[in-house]
Amino acid sequence: MMTERQRKFREKYKSNISPLYNGILHLAVTYGVGIAGIWWCLSHIENARWEWLLMIPVFLFGNFVEWFMHMHVMHRRIDVYALRAIYERHTREHHQYFTDAEPTMDTTREWRIVFFPWRVLTVVGIGGVGLGYLASLIFNANAGFIVAMTMMGYYLTYETFHYCCHVHENWFVRHMPFINTIRRHHILHHNFGIMMKYNMNLSFPIADWFMGTSDLRRGLIGHLFNGYSEKHQKEELKPIIARFRIDDSRVTTDGPQLTAQEQQVINNDLNNPRSTAGAMA
């Protein structure tokens, strides 16, 4: 189901990957450093009790940061070097390489377009240490270690879920709770018609539910355990999704060229309160 446009982009992208790039090494460093950081924090925690509850606000904070970065940095070109580079890598590369019609990869060299570069791991590590240190000053050392390890764990969860979104269909990704939900959620995010506004979470679609930027119209529990179901997909979005799935003539490297009617449909949905705003199922 790959279009000629996508095929040509993939060929060009892969030809520009450095011959020195090694996907296995990329993965090993990411998870090696991340797991080592988590283990180090765990090894320094002593008799923690209520401090474990800090994992909840840190997790939710990470979920909304993930949403914000995806919506307002990865899909919005900001003319500042580092932020512009994130936009280029995500909107102009990742979204051209993978579409909802063909979202999968075949080789470890393609991991370059899926996993974040190591500098992102460095930023997350520095952020985790910084917030952990702040928590240690406000509460105690246990709190600091728990905050830091939760941030690192969240990052590794993000990378793992994203990888599961772009592998070929298999029993695990279809039936594993949360994984099957985010796989459908993220693959649909790669539909050119809605990619700039919908399904911004890539771990758990909590912020998408809260902010009304999900393609589904249902409650939080329903979002988390939705799996592959499209039963609750917003009816007004279906024509846009279907149109861009088969026609990329109005697609650019900066996103879709929507008609005034399509844009109005999206604006109405995002601006109007959701009927399930307070629902849980």
Side-chain angles (χ1 to χ4, degrees), residues 41 44 54 80 106 115 123 151 154 173 189 194 202 219 246 279:
C41 289
H44 284 76
L54 290 172
V80 175
D106 299 306
F115 292 103
V123 171
M151 288 186 63
Y154 192 96
V173 298
H189 169 68
I194 66 170
L202 230 164
I246 62 175

Side-chain angles (χ1 to χ4, degrees), residues 184-228:
R184 186 212 69 88
H185 190 82
H186 182 64
I187 287 176
L188 192 64
H189 169 68
H190 277 275
N191 179 276
F192 284 116
I194 66 170
M195 61 178 268
M196 304 299 281
K197 298 294 183 180
Y198 288 91
N199 294 12
M200 295 295 166
N201 276 127
L202 230 164
S203 56
F204 303 90
I206 297 171
D208 272 320
W209 164 77
F210 185 83
M211 302 299 291
T213 54
S214 168
D215 72 295
L216 301 179
R217 183 170 282 114
R218 65 184 312 190
L220 176 58
I221 301 302
H223 266 83
L224 292 175
F225 294 97
N226 182 75
Y228 278 25

Side-chain angles (χ1 to χ4, degrees), residues 10 153 179:
R10 285 194 171 199
I179 294 289

Side-chain angles (χ1 to χ4, degrees), residues 149-182:
M149 65 175 281
T150 302
M151 288 186 63
M152 186 58 68
Y154 192 96
Y155 176 74
L156 295 184
T157 299
Y158 178 102
E159 291 283 50
T160 301
F161 278 29
H162 193 202
Y163 172 79
C164 288
C165 289
H166 291 295
V167 297
H168 285 282
E169 179 77 7
N170 59 64
W171 181 92
F172 179 80
V173 298
R174 173 168 285 276
H175 297 289
M176 180 59 65
F178 303 127
I179 294 289
N180 53 12
T181 289
I182 204 61

Side-chain angles (χ1 to χ4, degrees), residues 34-144:
I35 292 172
I38 292 172
W39 177 86
W40 188 84
C41 289
L42 278 172
S43 68
H44 284 76
I45 296 173
E46 298 181 358
N47 302 317
R49 289 187 286 184
W50 64 266
E51 294 94 338
W52 291 109
L53 293 175
L54 290 172
M55 296 180 73
I56 298 173
V58 174
F59 165 81
L60 291 174
F61 173 75
N63 194 265
F64 278 84
V65 168
E66 167 195 319
W67 180 93
F68 179 87
M69 289 295 294
H70 200 167
M71 174 71 82
H72 296 290
V73 178
M74 293 181 176
H75 283 295
R76 181 173 297 177
R77 192 173 191 274
I78 301 173
D79 198 19
V80 175
Y81 174 71
L83 301 183
R84 184 173 65 247
I86 294 173
Y87 172 86
E88 295 280 344
R89 179 182 174 86
H90 187 75
T91 297
R92 290 184 168 179
E93 293 183 355
H94 183 75
H95 271 272
Q96 311 305 315
Y97 200 93
F98 297 114
T99 69
D100 62 326
E102 181 44 83
T104 61
M105 56 187 172
D106 299 306
T107 69
T108 59
R109 285 183 63 75
E110 293 173 279
W111 290 359
R112 186 184 184 279
I113 194 69
V114 174
F115 292 103
F116 282 131
W118 291 334
R119 57 181 173 271
V120 177
L121 179 66
T122 302
V123 171
V124 172
I126 293 173
V129 170
L131 289 178
Y133 178 69
L134 183 62
S136 71
L137 295 178
I138 298 174
F139 303 110
N140 56 45
N142 281 337

